[in-house]
Amino acid sequence: MSDSDDETTTEHQLKFVLVGDGTSGKTSIAVRYTSENFEQAYKQTIGLDFFLKRIVLAGNINVSIQLWDIGGQTIGGKMIETYLSGAQAVLFVYDITNQSTFDNLEDWWETVKGSFKGKDSNAMPSFALIANKGDLEHMRVVKQERHAKFAQDHGMSSHCLSAKSGDQVRHCFQKIAADMLGIRLTKNELEKTNQVLKAGVVQYANNELPARPVTQQKSSFCTLQ
């Protein structure tokens, strides 16, 4: 076998669509993953934002991941079926400190499912449940059991991450992409993607202090499945 054969690369392009309520942190996740940055100020996504990330998986496999970040108000819009068309993965995102962002995922599920109704089963995307704001575990209101049950009931992989700290963000996307392509990540690759990035400090004005009660609760499901 020649050296050129050893260096042969395989190219893949994957379309990931992020869905969920406007305050769940979809854009923050996309920005963190593609640029390793976190913006403190909240900016509402109107319609659609588009991001791109290129990675290399085991076996010299190059993957271009397109991230389609759908605005939260799009759930009842006419364009959502167009946005979802051709998606290889749909990521359902919610905020662990905001119960309504989790409860509303059922509506998002019905919308996504309806968009693929009647289509070939081979065209169905992979589904993933993404619990965001893991850095605010002490403010969690969504019970871990409900997360696990939702993922199981809807055939979704389960992920917990923090867009703010960067914890598990790269790991999440790399794991989903690898699973879709039938690639097994090595321990070394998993450790590299688990590195936590430094997060900025949010400065609150006196009238903006978080009002939720603080209770210590240790996470038991923030592992990728």
Side-chain angles (χ1 to χ4, degrees), residues 177-191:
D179 286 347
M180 291 171 61
L181 297 174
I183 299 171
R184 184 178 180 84
L185 296 177
T186 66
K187 183 178 179 180
N188 184 50
E189 289 170 326
L190 292 174
E191 289 175 349

Side-chain angles (χ1 to χ4, degrees), residues 21-22 34 44 115 205:
D21 283 3
T34 57
Q44 183 181 21
S115 297

